[in-house]
Amino acid sequence: MRDIRESIGGSLLSSAATLLAHPHETSPDVWRTNWIKAAALFGGLSLIVLMLDTAGDIASATLKGLSAVPATSGGDGGGLWGTVDHPVRVFLADQAAHLSVAPAALYAFWQLTGLVGLVGGFFGNAGARIVWLLFGIGSLAMIWSAAPAGGRAAATGLAALMWALASMFALRGLTLRPVVHNHPPQYQFNPALHLHATLPAPTPAGDDLGPDHIHPLQR
């Protein structure tokens, strides 16, 4: 964050130095407009930096709070939702033992990913729908891996049905039919056949007997 602030400050100082170094090259109106733009840019960038800094602090505090939550605070696997949710918790707890992150943080991130995919997909966001599909496939894989061997197929099938029901909202309006646009052609083609023939000129009457120096024989 400090590097961002330093780069923004350096760019603004460079712009100000350029304006001060060549004051005779700009008219008063242009000079005033440039300074207004520079002030607005400085205010907007300062606000963005402040928001990013605050968001970073909030995210850091949230991750620390999630890491402090004990991993045994999950459900006991009872009920329909527990049949699906408990294997996910068990899988994430086993994987977190080999990572530098708390199981509760992984589980919270898994929930957040599903919520973003569901809400974003409902509003037609293509990226959120991809997230929702990956969330469902990953959840089914985790449930199949961590569910008891005797009920593995039932737990995975139940999770698939729940995911399919939720997909009615996440994939709302999505169709596999090709979209056909019937637009009129820009140029209309009219086929036509044109024949060009040259006819000989008609022969005058009297030219049929040949030249004038040829006469018929007389007795």
Side-chain angles (χ1 to χ4, degrees):
M1 193 64 62
R2 181 178 179 182
D3 296 336
I4 297 176
R5 288 195 292 264
E6 290 179 354
S7 62
I8 294 174
S11 61
L12 291 175
L13 290 177
S14 177
S15 300
T18 302
L19 290 174
L20 293 175
H22 305 282
H24 58 281
E25 296 181 0
T26 57
S27 61
D29 294 337
V30 176
W31 175 276
R32 189 181 304 107
T33 303
N34 290 336
W35 274 110
I36 293 175
K37 290 181 180 179
L41 178 63
F42 177 76
L45 293 177
S46 299
L47 181 60
I48 293 175
V49 171
L50 180 62
M51 293 175 62
L52 291 177
D53 195 6
T54 305
D57 295 339
I58 293 175
S60 179
T62 303
L63 292 177
K64 289 181 180 178
L66 290 174
S67 300
V69 177
T72 58
S73 61
D76 55 354
L80 291 178
W81 177 250
T83 304
V84 175
D85 181 70
H86 186 68
V88 175
R89 291 178 180 270
V90 173
F91 179 86
L92 294 178
D94 293 341
Q95 296 297 317
H98 307 283
L99 302 174
S100 59
V101 63
L106 291 178
Y107 180 74
F109 181 75
W110 174 76
Q111 287 183 317
L112 179 62
T113 302
L115 181 62
V116 170
L118 179 62
V119 176
F122 179 80
F123 289 103
N125 185 274
R129 289 180 173 178
I130 295 176
V131 171
W132 175 254
L133 293 177
L134 295 178
F135 168 79
I137 295 173
S139 300
L140 294 178
M142 289 189 290
I143 294 171
W144 177 265
S145 176
R152 178 175 299 168
T156 307
L158 180 61
L161 290 177
M162 290 184 175
W163 179 48
L165 291 175
S167 297
M168 296 173 59
F169 300 95
L171 305 179
R172 180 180 63 93
L174 184 64
T175 179
L176 299 179
R177 295 180 180 178
V179 180
V180 179
H181 300 280
N182 294 324
H183 297 293
Q186 186 176 2
Y187 300 100
Q188 187 174 2
F189 176 70
N190 295 322
L193 181 62
H194 299 278
L195 297 177
H196 300 276
T198 303
L199 299 177
T203 304
D207 290 347
D208 296 338
L209 300 177
D212 295 338
H213 63 275
I214 298 175
H215 300 281
L217 296 176
Q218 294 180 358
R219 291 183 182 180

